[in-house]
Amino acid sequence: MKEFLKKAHLFCLLATIPSIGISVSLSQGFLVLSFFFGVADQLKSGNWKEILPNHPVSKIAISLFLWYGIVFLIHLVLDNSSGYTKAAWNGELKDFFLFFGLLSVGFTTKEDLPKIYKALFWLFLLLVFTGVAGGFTPVRLSRLISDLYKTSSSYRFTHPLGSISSIPLYISIGLMNTHLTFGGLLQFFSAFAVFGFLRTLIQGDKKKILFAGILLFLYCLVFLLNQARSSMIGAGVSIFFAGVHLFFIRKEFSKSFLIKGASLFLGLLFLIGLVLTFSPAGKKVIGPLFGKEKHTDSGRTFIWDSSFPLIQEHPIIGAGPGNYNKEIEKIRIEHSETYSELSYFYEVTQRGHAHNDYFHLASVFGIPAALIYLALGGILIAYLFQSKQDFQKLVFFYGLIGFFVSGLFQCYFQDDEVVILFWILLGLFVKGEILISERDNA
């Protein structure tokens, strides 16, 4: 029985990772199964003390969800409506079980880790190739999955970008439902794609150079077709921090190679950009990256403006999970009456979240939640920059830094597919640090 629990936990965890790029329901199902098989295995082995990872990064992450629980209980007492618990669970409170990703990775052994990193690589390939396919078809690829188990009441197409030499282009969303979710997943692999390619140049294996170069080219192409600027900013920050760490602190690459590597990467981006620039479709792709306004830009300001009063009214405990939409609606009505010339914009802009992770956390769970989340990012950078883990593992973790930056423009911490991968990567980092600490102590 013990061996079954261990194998079932690992199988479900490995299945969770590539299924993130296929279906959120599928990945959530495997994640929950993985967690419960893992907990059962730990309890049967008598390792109940190891259910929660003993590391500062994981402790801050756990404290965030403890604060979630405190805020929920306070609002449960203050709110007299009978349906509040259901509304809270359907809102932000259900994000709790996504945290199982960090805990489930913690149940693995040192021998399991190579399989998990291989699963991450398969997820990367899945995102790249479905991204390429999605950029050249008007049909949402997600229908290939959803049509297997439900009948669609409407038929949604992907957004067209125009064409290049009669070849139609579309905003690439892979198997996801929105380009922001797909972009959020892509940005986690920015350092892996770039510095993995640079490592092959040093190794000198022509087959590996060709393979890594093609993947990097396709990755950049998909990212440009995806059009999620918040993710691109996050990816750029990830690459910057990775470059500083790998070139100047870890010295994985010589400084002379910095110019060669940067030239190759920028040259690749210039080549892709040059091809796209000479077409109407390409101008739609490139323009917003250089300041051309998109229709969603002004919408963010109205969303943020609607969120600030929530933070002012409830600075400590927020509006409570499940209450964001209800409270935002009240504020927008007040603002529409005060600024009647802007009433149309308050009416049509999105309501589901604050389009900023920090604003959303502060609005729903109070300023302490935003500060804990910010502390999580800060301590992660500190431990990442002093980590002794291998290069092949570290390149997967720099995307976590960019995640905290891209959250300034989009609520990625509320996006289930992206958050599952976030917690799994964070769990892998913590697991690696714990194993190294145990090795050094031994």
Side-chain angles (χ1 to χ4, degrees), residues 16 35 43 67 144 178 223 283 312 325 347 350 390 440:
T16 298
F35 173 74
L43 294 176
W67 182 254
L144 298 175
T178 71
F223 224 145
K283 291 176 181 178
Q312 291 176 325
N325 285 348
E347 177 63 29
Q350 183 265 349
D390 296 337
D440 292 345

Side-chain angles (χ1 to χ4, degrees), residues 178-210:
T178 71
H179 79 115
L180 291 170
T181 297
F182 190 61
L185 293 173
L186 285 174
Q187 70 97 23
F188 281 119
F189 294 97
S190 54
F192 169 76
V194 172
F195 292 96
F197 172 67
L198 295 184
R199 175 53 69 93
T200 61
L201 291 179
I202 292 178
Q203 293 172 341
D205 188 319
K206 293 183 179 179
K207 290 184 179 179
K208 288 184 178 179
I209 292 173
L210 179 62

Side-chain angles (χ1 to χ4, degrees), residues 272-421:
I272 297 174
L274 189 65
V275 172
L276 293 174
T277 300
F278 289 100
S279 69
K283 291 176 181 178
K284 286 185 179 180
V285 174
I286 299 296
L289 304 182
F290 292 94
K292 182 181 177 181
E293 186 176 352
K294 293 179 70 174
H295 71 282
T296 57
D297 291 344
S298 60
R300 278 184 173 84
T301 59
F302 285 98
I303 296 167
W304 294 345
D305 174 67
S306 302
S307 301
F308 293 152
L310 284 182
I311 303 173
Q312 291 176 325
E313 292 173 17
H314 314 281
I316 305 300
I317 61 171
N323 286 335
Y324 181 81
N325 285 348
K326 181 176 66 175
E327 296 300 323
I328 281 295
E329 189 65 33
K330 296 177 184 176
I331 292 170
R332 289 193 174 186
I333 292 174
E334 292 175 4
H335 285 193
S336 296
E337 292 173 351
T338 305
Y339 309 102
S340 57
E341 69 277 12
L342 300 176
S343 59
Y344 170 79
F345 301 100
Y346 281 114
E347 177 63 29
V348 299
T349 49
Q350 183 265 349
R351 284 168 167 71
H353 53 76
H355 262 286
N356 180 299
D357 280 328
Y358 304 92
F359 295 162
H360 192 85
L361 284 171
S363 298
V364 177
F365 295 103
I367 294 175
L371 293 177
I372 295 172
Y373 183 66
L374 191 61
L376 177 62
I379 198 169
L380 169 66
I381 295 175
Y383 275 94
L384 183 57
F385 268 50
Q386 63 184 21
S387 177
K388 298 178 182 177
Q389 296 189 52
D390 296 337
F391 169 87
Q392 290 85 352
K393 297 176 181 177
L394 278 181
V395 288
F396 284 103
F397 303 137
Y398 296 109
L400 292 169
I401 301 175
F403 178 82
F404 286 93
V405 177
S406 57
L408 291 169
F409 309 98
Q410 171 65 19
C411 272
Y412 284 116
F413 200 58
Q414 312 303 317
D415 198 326
D416 289 3
E417 295 95 328
V418 182
V419 175
I420 291 175
L421 184 56

Side-chain angles (χ1 to χ4, degrees), residues 86-95 321-323 414:
K86 182 179 180 181
W89 177 256
N90 290 334
E92 292 79 9
L93 206 61
K94 65 178 172 55
D95 292 345
N323 286 335
Q414 312 303 317

Side-chain angles (χ1 to χ4, degrees), residues 212-224:
I214 291 173
L215 282 181
L216 178 59
F217 173 81
L218 293 177
Y219 175 78
C220 293
L221 175 62
V222 171
F223 224 145
L224 287 173

Side-chain angles (χ1 to χ4, degrees), residues 93-119:
L93 206 61
K94 65 178 172 55
D95 292 345
F96 168 76
F97 77 88
L98 303 179
F99 180 63
F100 289 171
L102 184 147
L103 301 177
S104 189
V105 172
F107 303 148
T108 59
T109 64
K110 182 179 179 181
E111 292 71 28
D112 296 332
L113 293 183
K115 297 176 183 178
I116 299 175
Y117 284 103
K118 187 174 289 186

